[in-house]
Every structure is written in structure tokens, then in C-alpha cells.
Amino acid sequence: MEYVYNGRVLQIADAHTHIYPKKIADKAVHAVGDFYHIPMTCGGTAEDLLASGEQIGTQSYLVCSVATKPEQAASITNFIAEACREHPQFVGLGAYHQDVEDPEGLLASVKTLGLYGIKLHSDFQRCNIDDPKLMPVYKMLCELDLCVLFHMGDDRYDFSSPARLVRVLEKYPHLRCIAAHFGGYQRWKEAKACLAGAGENLYFDTSSSLAFLGKEQAEEMIYTFGPDRMLFGTDFPMWSHADELQRFLSLSLPDTAVDAILSKNFQQFFKKNV
């Protein structure tokens, strides 16, 4: 279907989603809900994602999953790659864990499989994003022209604080990365103070934030970071596409900013048409 807003057909790309194999999808979704104390109403399979996205005419999806143990990283990466082969509208990220035995081999596999980078969720993985053991990984990502999607924030922990990302980007300013959740879930004031202008290849996504940020605060952060650096993301299955798009369109943004955030920035970052 097409989504028409103010007489215009919107092009929509979702820059933050999670999918799981069918046999563990329900368990994984409920585990995430328990971690954040948020009721989960969406399923976690690729088919569930597509059904939700089709309600608003989503045309492209960034898909990933998190390795909570080092031995999971390769199998999750292969699962995501297979999902991308089955669904050409998917753009995939491999999984990474700070304790994998062969970082070079895993990242080479990510590249060979046609994936665009990796996902790190430091709160699940219990590792600071500026941990010294991750610094060689960021260097390899730059060399391979791969990106990293960082889970950011959460005021219960300091693993992925905005200040830690600043330290990473001071060392690797060319690292192509997305700071999820407006740069810091539940740490938005700190994110705004730390991350504006922090890296020439630093982007942000709107996921798991619009339900909590006030309208004025969300708009202020978008203009602080720059509408040309923002990506629309749902964090599915945390939230449905219909609900997240409604929250986004309730902001008072000009059409140019709406189009940039919903699709054009996605195309630029991933060098892929929506």
C-alpha cells in the first residue's frame, strides 16, 4: 500500500528493526519486553515485521539482532544474511560480540555476505562501547567500509552513554555509525549536549524515543543534530509501524525534513534506493 500524507505519497524506510528465527521469536520478544518493562504486542519474525510495515507502505528495513554470547555472533549473522536474500527490501547488519574468538574473520564474513555492518547493544552485552578491545574493531569497520548501529543510552547503565561514543569518534572520526534512540535512550539531555557535531559520519535514529519525548523536545533534538542526520526507526517489535509513524508525523516539521528522515537519509547512508 501507499501512505498518503498531506496529499503526498511518502517514501518510508525503517532504519531500526529486529527479527528472530521463528522457533525463538516469542521468547526473544518477551525477554526484550521484560528488560525494558514495556508490554510487547508485536511478533518478532520477518513475516511479522513485513506485515506491520505494510500498514504504512514501508519499502525498506534495516534488520538486525543482538548476540548476547560470543558463540551466537556467527549464526545470527548468517540468519540475517539469509533473511536479506529472501526479502530484497531488507538491509542487514551482522551480529558482533566483544568476546568473539576471530574478530577479523567475523567482520570479513559480514562483508562477504553483503551485509552493511554490525549491531552493538552494550547494555545486553555488558561492555562499554569505548572498551579498548572494541577499538581495533572500529578500525576494521572503517577499513571495510562497514557501519555500526549503536544502541545508545538507558539511564540504568553507563555502557552506552553518549560520552563514551564521543571518545570512540575522537579516535575514529570516519566511523560510519548510527546512534540509536536520538543518541541516548532516557539520556536525551546528555545526548544533545555531547553528540551534536561529534562525527562527520554520525547519524541518529528516532526509535524508542518518540513515545517518551515531548513534541518540542523531539523537534529541538532533530534540529540540533540536523534533519539531514536523522533516520526514522521503529525498533520493531518494540513498537508498531503505524504508531511510530503517527508519532513522527505529529511533529511540526517541513516536508523537506519529513522526506529526509523517512527515506532520503537512509538512501544516502546505505547507498541504496528505497
Side-chain angles (χ1 to χ4, degrees), residues 161-210:
S161 69
R164 293 191 182 280
L165 180 54
V166 170
R167 288 193 280 272
V168 171
L169 294 176
E170 286 174 346
K171 190 171 180 66
Y172 296 106
H174 300 298
L175 180 66
R176 295 176 54 244
C177 59
I178 301 169
H181 321 311
F182 276 86
Y185 176 75
Q186 302 291 354
R187 301 180 76 147
W188 293 296
K189 184 177 180 180
E190 181 184 348
K192 183 181 173 215
C194 289
L195 295 176
E200 63 184 60
N201 293 301
L202 171 62
Y203 282 62
F204 303 84
D205 75 37
T206 66
S207 68
S208 286
S209 299
L210 296 174

Side-chain angles (χ1 to χ4, degrees), residues 206-226:
T206 66
S207 68
S208 286
S209 299
L210 296 174
F212 308 106
L213 287 169
K215 178 180 175 182
E216 291 185 2
Q217 186 181 9
E219 292 169 358
E220 184 178 1
M221 293 190 72
I222 287 172
Y223 286 114
T224 296
F225 296 143

Side-chain angles (χ1 to χ4, degrees), residues 20-33:
Y20 310 96
K22 291 180 180 180
K23 64 182 180 181
I24 66 164
D26 287 345
K27 181 180 179 181
V29 168
H30 285 101
V32 173

Side-chain angles (χ1 to χ4, degrees), residues 1 25-26 47-48 51 70 126 170 240:
M1 66 167 288
D26 287 345
E47 291 72 24
D48 293 323
R126 314 295 289 183
E170 286 174 346
S240 75

Side-chain angles (χ1 to χ4, degrees), residues 89 92 143 182:
Q89 58 270 64
E143 292 170 348
F182 276 86

Side-chain angles (χ1 to χ4, degrees), residues 55-75:
Q55 297 302 307
I56 62 168
T58 308
Q59 294 163 304
S60 295
Y61 306 80
L62 182 65
V63 295
C64 61
S65 192
V66 177
T68 56
K69 300 176 182 178
E71 59 268 25
Q72 296 173 338
S75 61

